[in-house]
Amino acid sequence: MAQKSNYGNNNKGKSPAQVDAEMGKMPPQAVEIEEAVLGALLLEKDAFIAVSELLKPECFYRESHQHIFQAISNLFFHEQPVDILTVTEEIKKIGKMDEVGGAFYVSQLTSRVASAAHIEYHARIIWQKYLQREMIRISSDLQTRSYDESLDVNDLLDEAENSFYLLSQGTMKKEVTQIDPVITESIERIREAGQRTDGLSGVPSGFTGLDRMTSGWQSSDLVIIAARPAMGKTAFVLSMARNMAVAHEQPVALFSLEMSNVQLVNRLIVGETEIPGEKIKNGNLAPYEWEQLDSKIHSLMGAPIFVDDTPGLSVFELRAKCRRLKKQHDIQIIIIDYLQLMSAAGMNPGSREQEVSMISRSLKGLAKELDVPILALSQLNRGVESRSGLEGKRPQLADLRESGAIEQDADMVCFIHRPEYYGLFEDADGYSLEGMAEVIIAKHRNGATGDVRLRFRKELARFEDPELQSLPSAGEGFDPGNGESAPMTFSSKMNEEDAGPAGNNKPPAGGGFDGPPSGFDKEAPF
């Protein structure tokens, strides 16, 4: 065992050619095509443009060819002419003339090809051979290191996934698309949205006012939902997950880095059955509550909600799991609770700010790759606490914690704000704010910004549409096109079965909400 482990240590860092030579096999290569590509680059000045996005020096099998290509790259990026003489001089500058075989070998390359007509096709062959060699190198190293029992198997798996992920990233090169097929696809999506009776083009949140402003969460969007602790971030996304999966039958992937699966499901049960959380936790239920639990829990059974509570989830683990969920269950939305608890293992960030930047960029890339919206919860810094007044306590984009990249990468930034948490029980117009929450859409790349009012039932850790009340109608003076906002106040779909006829203010089952319950603790972690 020790002998194999030593072999792994010696093997690490070697070139694919060395590894394959020790194994007694010839590595994948195309030396003659490499010579033809380099010769074409020396013959035609614009040939480098065709291969610059595909090839890099290490793609070449021969080390001498790597140095020649590096010299050509240096000249191109400094806008210098590329020919036999200039390349030879550049090779001298970087001190690699002996390694490439002298000026004579460079001059001989032009005789390997007549023109640069097929250079892109030849470059793809070189790229494919390089990928094969890299896969052999990575697999060989992993095979050898797997014999070393001193290594943690989870670390080894993470390194393996990271290595192949970085390799695959280089293969995903998208071609430039002429606009006509894009217009056709866009019109088709507009038609599909027009045929929907609810007028939504994305995944519905289940909250009428929010859906009216966003038209649903849109595919490939990265949505940041941020708030200070105890504002109800987890309760908000759990309420949405329930609405999406149960009411709209949309498969949801929920990654919780803070709470366990059981804790999350308990919260869903509390919200669905309207049985207080303490009773669900200690099991001290009255007979009628057991009946209530049994009758209402069935709506959650079989719901397409897929929960993962892996602590310290890395970007690479998230990507692999989401790909599987998309393939197996066709998930339509991904929820992450919360962004700052993720890690960028394998990316070697220089600081925490850079790590958060890498995570946010990776999440945006994943949203585009899977073509689904990603909702990521985020913490806010303490700037909110230091400000005073009704408006001062409202979160701002500058309050996003640890990295400005979150704001830059996000297609939408929403804040959750509960004024009563700060002892503010009336707005500027005198309307009651007890039991109310605001979803502040502070950034919306493809739509309007504004505020949406929701009802927060603290005892159930659940958000709902607010009951009809004497607030301005959402349609009065509201124009999404110019960014104006108005409170969204619609009756709750979740309580329609309990509501009386139109105009009847009958409260939902369980009684109306008269502000915080007795023993109200504004520090409760909802």
Side-chain angles (χ1 to χ4, degrees), residues 25-196:
K25 296 180 181 179
M26 181 66 71
Q29 56 182 288
V31 175
E32 292 182 355
I33 292 179
E34 290 182 9
E35 292 174 342
V37 167
L38 293 174
L41 293 174
L42 293 172
L43 284 174
E44 298 188 17
K45 63 177 182 178
D46 295 329
F48 188 83
I49 297 173
V51 301
S52 60
E53 292 186 3
L54 188 64
L55 296 181
K56 46 191 175 182
E58 55 265 36
C59 292
F60 291 83
Y61 177 70
R62 280 193 176 174
E63 190 175 350
S64 59
H65 293 169
Q66 295 178 11
H67 297 317
I68 295 171
F69 187 81
Q70 183 64 64
I72 294 172
S73 300
N74 293 347
L75 291 170
F76 179 82
F77 289 117
H78 287 92
E79 299 182 355
Q80 300 296 318
V82 176
D83 55 37
I84 295 175
L85 296 177
T86 57
V87 170
T88 302
E89 285 300 314
E90 183 64 26
I91 294 171
K92 289 179 181 178
K93 283 183 183 179
I94 60 178
K96 299 295 182 181
M97 185 57 73
D98 292 337
E99 285 88 338
V100 303
F104 177 74
Y105 181 77
V106 177
S107 65
Q108 286 289 99
L109 290 172
T110 55
S111 64
R112 305 295 186 185
V113 65
S115 71
H118 306 294
I119 189 170
E120 189 170 353
Y121 179 79
H122 292 156
R124 291 191 180 279
I125 295 175
I126 296 173
W127 172 251
Q128 290 168 5
K129 300 297 182 184
Y130 164 72
L131 288 181
Q132 288 177 279
R133 294 195 301 272
E134 283 297 289
M135 285 189 284
I136 292 170
R137 179 187 62 79
I138 294 169
S139 301
S140 175
D141 181 54
L142 287 172
Q143 181 182 5
T144 304
R145 297 184 69 204
S146 296
Y147 284 103
D148 190 343
E149 295 185 1
S150 66
L151 296 175
D152 184 88
V153 67
N154 292 319
D155 291 341
L156 196 59
L157 282 170
D158 189 58
E159 287 183 30
E161 186 176 349
N162 183 26
S163 297
F164 281 108
Y165 166 72
L166 293 175
L167 188 62
S168 67
Q169 283 294 95
T171 66
M172 293 191 298
K173 298 185 184 294
K174 238 184 160 181
E175 297 295 330
V176 177
T177 305
Q178 199 272 336
I179 196 172
D180 289 0
V182 183
I183 292 175
T184 302
E185 181 182 354
S186 180
I187 291 174
E188 185 59 32
R189 291 192 179 189
I190 294 171
R191 285 200 185 103
E192 290 175 1
Q195 290 170 358
R196 294 185 58 164

Side-chain angles (χ1 to χ4, degrees), residues 288-307:
Y288 78 90
E289 289 174 323
W290 281 109
E291 294 178 7
Q292 188 175 338
L293 175 65
D294 184 61
S295 64
K296 291 194 174 184
I297 199 67
H298 291 292
S299 60
L300 290 178
M301 300 294 291
I305 301 177
F306 305 94
V307 184

